[in-house]
Amino acid sequence: MTNRMSRGEFIALVAMMFATIAFSIDSMLPALPEIGAELSPNDMNKAQLILTSFVLGMGIGTFFTGPISDAVGRKPVIYGGVALYIFASAVAWASSSLELVLAARVLQGLGAAGPRVVAMAIIRDLFSGREMARIISIAMMIFTLVPAIAPLLGAGVIALVGWRGIFVSFILFASVIVIWMATRLPESLAPENRRPVRLPLMTAAVKEMLSHPTVRLSILVQTLCMGLLFTMLTMVQPVFDVIHDRAESFPFWFGFVALISGSASLLNAALVVSLGMRRIVTWALGAQIAITGCVMVLNMMPLSPGASFAVFVVWQTTVFFMAGVTMGNLNAIAMEPMGHIAGMAASVIGSIATVLAAAIAAPIGLLFDGSITPLTTGVLIMCITGFGLMLHMGRIENRLPA
């Protein structure tokens, strides 16, 4: 691809940029009990906000990083994002209050949006067509391994140096990315191809997207699917710890579930051509309604601790798997009519869905009361709402001319 970096090295670097988000979220899961006990002993549920505050910052950053990188180049945006990410990690490490940690996590999310979003733009700059798709597929396959090992890495860091050490690991991780990129990867966007940031164009793009019924509906359903995924992520560690007394084995179980759920993208790739994106999303939401309903019924029965735990792990796997099947399809549905403003559309869709999903997940997570009822109820409501919206989308498409 260039005379300085081989294709394999490029894929590894891009995968590491993608992994910034998963590493920043999933490695924090084992730390929630200790952070809650130290910084919020009177309401330990508030420690879950450490996850959603990061997601909120990431969603806001997603809106701006793409257009800014189009104007000033890819590498300056990554440098700025990594610098903010490292600064925020240092603030969180030194914090003596939960509120300061949460503020730092919002800044962390803003910074992490740089490598995550701009990495995709760099791929688009250097490759096209099937080769671009191949590069993205390989990088995403590597990326899917990160959620499987991140909680285990976080638990290892906590065992060695305590929960604050995780923020030091974030600094080291980001430093490796920026040094690697600075010394090995040339700027991919030539000055003559750069476009200035124009707020009126951004505003017009948002209005156009939200006026299109299919795009509007797909963003809403994507918000719900992300919302139920983030809700599960914020509550899964307390469920393992408080309900099932399996805090020590949580990283291993989470990794096992993440590896199984990672196959969702492979199944979707095999089915999407023959079944279509909308049908797969609708069926996946319908199946999750049935599964979650069964879990709610089983939860009211006097199951043994082992059986109750098995039911939860299977259900957790189906929720992660459903998110893996639906998210890419919903993004593609929203992007399909927006080809003429693809870059801006990608930023807007990602930003709106992520910010609203964090706003949904945070209050549900705070309702944790020592049972999975708030979690199952929230997931069921989101699935039913999403299923109804997908049926409505189908009716709209059926009325359109072929």
Side-chain angles (χ1 to χ4, degrees):
M1 49 153 283
T2 73
N3 56 4
R4 296 179 60 186
M5 177 178 280
S6 67
R7 186 161 305 187
E9 184 184 355
F10 176 75
I11 292 172
L13 175 59
V14 168
M16 198 167 177
M17 291 183 189
F18 286 164
T20 305
I21 301 299
F23 183 54
S24 301
I25 295 175
D26 297 332
S27 64
M28 293 299 303
L29 294 173
L32 297 183
E34 290 191 20
I35 295 175
E38 181 175 335
L39 301 182
S40 183
N42 296 326
D43 189 358
M44 292 182 60
N45 270 355
K46 287 185 177 179
Q48 298 174 13
L49 296 174
I50 285 175
L51 306 179
T52 48
S53 59
F54 177 87
V55 172
L56 176 64
M58 179 186 68
I60 296 171
T62 298
F63 185 82
F64 298 102
T65 48
I68 293 174
S69 75
D70 286 341
V72 303
R74 310 306 185 197
K75 293 178 74 171
V77 174
I78 295 180
Y79 291 148
V82 169
L84 181 59
Y85 182 88
I86 290 174
F87 169 76
S89 299
V91 171
W93 171 81
S95 296
S96 57
S97 70
L98 182 62
E99 290 74 18
L100 189 55
V101 174
L102 296 180
R105 286 287 281 175
V106 173
L107 290 179
Q108 250 196 328
L110 281 168
R116 173 65 183 87
V117 174
V118 177
M120 191 68 74
I122 291 174
I123 296 174
R124 192 169 64 243
D125 292 338
L126 300 175
F127 301 95
S128 61
R130 294 182 180 180
E131 191 60 27
M132 180 180 70
R134 179 172 174 268
I135 295 291
I136 293 174
S137 296
I138 297 173
M140 292 304 289
M141 285 178 63
I142 300 172
F143 160 75
T144 57
L145 297 176
V146 175
I149 63 173
L152 193 58
L153 293 174
V157 171
I158 294 169
L160 291 174
V161 294
W163 65 266
R164 294 180 188 273
I166 296 180
F167 292 104
V168 177
S169 72
F170 291 158
I171 294 173
L172 296 175
F173 185 85
S175 298
V176 169
I177 290 178
V178 76
I179 293 172
W180 187 0
M181 185 200 69
T183 56
R184 299 288 295 161
L185 182 67
E187 172 60 53
S188 63
L189 185 64
E192 61 270 19
N193 294 329
R194 296 175 187 177
R195 300 186 301 273
V197 176
R198 295 190 179 97
L199 190 58
L201 293 179
M202 297 172 69
T203 304
V206 173
K207 289 181 178 178
E208 180 180 354
M209 292 172 60
L210 297 182
S211 66
H212 195 291
T214 299
V215 176
R216 187 170 61 244
L217 288 169
S218 63
I219 292 175
L220 288 174
V221 180
Q222 187 173 342
T223 297
L224 293 168
C225 290
M226 291 181 73
L228 66 89
L229 175 63
F230 293 152
T231 302
M232 176 64 79
L233 283 172
T234 60
M235 298 181 75
V236 64
Q237 198 283 332
V239 169
F240 270 74
D241 184 6
V242 177
I243 299 178
H244 299 292
D245 194 25
R246 294 177 184 259
E248 293 184 1
S249 62
F250 165 71
F252 299 98
W253 282 107
F254 189 90
F256 172 72
V257 170
L259 285 175
I260 295 176
S261 305
S263 63
S265 58
L266 298 177
L267 177 64
N268 183 68
L271 297 177
V272 69
V273 175
S274 58
L275 296 179
M277 295 176 289
R278 179 174 55 79
R279 187 176 297 174
I280 288 178
V281 173
T282 307
W283 289 358
L285 286 167
Q288 190 55 241
I289 291 171
I291 294 169
T292 302
C294 290
V295 170
M296 295 180 76
V297 172
L298 290 172
N299 191 45
M300 293 185 287
M301 296 181 178
L303 300 178
S304 67
S308 177
F309 178 68
V311 168
F312 179 78
V313 170
V314 171
W315 179 57
Q316 177 195 348
T317 305
T318 66
V319 170
F320 284 1
F321 195 91
M322 188 215 75
V325 168
T326 57
M327 296 302 298
N329 288 326
L330 287 165
N331 197 56
I333 292 171
M335 288 292 293
E336 193 168 11
M338 298 288 113
H340 57 295
I341 51 169
M344 179 60 63
S347 289
V348 172
I349 292 167
S351 180
I352 293 175
T354 304
V355 170
L356 292 180
I360 292 171
I364 298 176
L366 294 176
L367 294 175
F368 179 72
D369 58 357
S371 74
I372 66 169
T373 300
L375 178 56
T376 53
T377 303
V379 169
L380 184 62
I381 291 173
M382 284 184 271
C383 285
I384 291 173
T385 306
F387 184 74
L389 291 173
M390 290 307 297
L391 293 178
H392 182 53
M393 184 189 296
R395 290 191 291 269
I396 290 176
E397 290 185 356
N398 290 333
R399 292 198 297 265
L400 296 176

